[in-house]
Amino acid sequence: MKLYIRYMVSLRCKMTVKKELKKLGLEYVFIDFGMVEIFEDITIEQLELLRVNLLKLRLELLDHKTNILIEKIMGIIIEMINLSDKLPELTYSDYISKKLHQDYTYLANLFSEVFGITIRQFIIINKIEKVKELLLYDKLNLTEIAFKLHYSSVSHWSHQFKKITGLTPSFFKQLRKKRSNLENI
């Protein structure tokens, strides 16, 4: 079960949430900024206690409707990236807004409050993950990857790639090849 927590945007917040979960005897599978995935179902009493305890710490457990909305935003972004060459030419903001029938500014503000990053930053991070995948498959050249993911140029996505990973796309590809060659020995 996934829970979303507004204003959980620092390492200190994550540690605080971990302590609160432990107090309630709840095991988590995954915890990241703005989100916790609980191993088992949570009782109504545990949920309410968690909500009250988090409020005291200036963190807000989001209600079910908001959780669903956040999940939908993330799902749409992943869908947009994975199907980017099959989707109509719309801006990300227009596409998300149309799919959810909601004002983009509202969605963007909510997303930022929960995750501590903008929707744009989340898109860039996930596009870079898709670029890594495409580089590893080695079926597309750099220009084709740029085109597939709607980058204006190879240099633009190469710059973003380096900014996020610290590596150039070419070096990343070489590094992966070397690692796979060593694993095959």
Side-chain angles (χ1 to χ4, degrees):
M1 167 183 230
K2 289 184 183 176
L3 302 172
Y4 292 91
I5 303 169
R6 187 177 293 186
Y7 312 122
M8 188 172 101
V9 296
S10 70
L11 290 175
R12 188 176 73 74
C13 291
K14 283 173 60 173
M15 295 304 294
T16 302
V17 170
K18 286 179 184 180
K19 285 180 189 174
E20 291 303 318
L21 293 171
K22 189 173 183 176
K23 281 183 195 175
L24 294 172
L26 295 169
E27 290 186 43
Y28 62 90
V29 177
F30 178 77
I31 189 166
D32 201 8
F33 300 114
M35 188 196 68
V36 176
E37 188 169 349
I38 305 292
F39 184 67
E40 69 270 359
D41 286 334
I42 187 170
T43 67
I44 293 170
E45 293 82 20
Q46 287 174 316
L47 190 62
E48 193 51 38
L49 266 173
L50 182 61
R51 182 183 314 284
V52 169
N53 291 347
L54 291 176
L55 275 175
K56 290 176 187 173
L57 301 165
R58 300 186 194 272
L59 299 171
E60 182 182 345
L61 187 62
L62 298 178
D63 61 29
H64 186 66
K65 279 183 173 180
T66 309
N67 282 348
I68 291 170
L69 186 57
I70 292 290
E71 279 291 319
K72 285 181 179 178
I73 293 169
M74 291 169 58
I76 289 168
I77 291 168
I78 301 303
E79 169 190 304
M80 288 169 56
I81 292 167
N82 287 325
L83 302 174
S84 61
D85 53 343
K86 295 177 178 101
L87 294 174
E89 288 289 327
L90 287 175
T91 63
Y92 284 108
S93 56
D94 287 343
Y95 188 77
I96 293 167
S97 184
K98 282 183 181 184
K99 285 283 271 194
L100 295 176
H101 308 287
Q102 298 262 357
D103 176 60
Y104 181 76
T105 303
Y106 166 73
L107 297 172
N109 288 337
L110 178 66
F111 191 89
S112 293
E113 286 176 359
V114 172
F115 289 105
I117 61 172
T118 65
I119 287 179
R120 182 174 163 17
Q121 290 167 319
F122 185 79
I123 290 168
I124 290 168
I125 290 166
N126 282 279
K127 280 175 86 171
I128 295 304
E129 287 303 312
K130 183 67 175 180
V131 167
K132 287 180 186 177
E133 181 183 317
L134 294 171
L135 286 170
L136 293 178
Y137 287 136
D138 206 21
K139 291 182 181 175
L140 301 174
N141 65 38
L142 301 182
T143 304
E144 291 168 327
I145 291 172
F147 180 76
K148 181 176 179 65
L149 293 174
H150 300 282
Y151 279 102
S152 57
S153 69
V154 174
S155 65
H156 178 65
W157 81 255
S158 293
H159 176 74
Q160 276 190 347
F161 188 91
K162 184 166 185 173
K163 190 175 179 181
I164 299 290
T165 66
L167 306 170
T168 65
S170 301
F171 187 75
F172 175 81
K173 198 171 183 176
Q174 290 171 354
L175 192 62
R176 291 299 298 162
K177 281 184 180 178
K178 285 181 185 177
R179 282 189 183 165
S180 68
N181 288 341
L182 289 174
E183 290 170 1
N184 291 333
I185 295 177

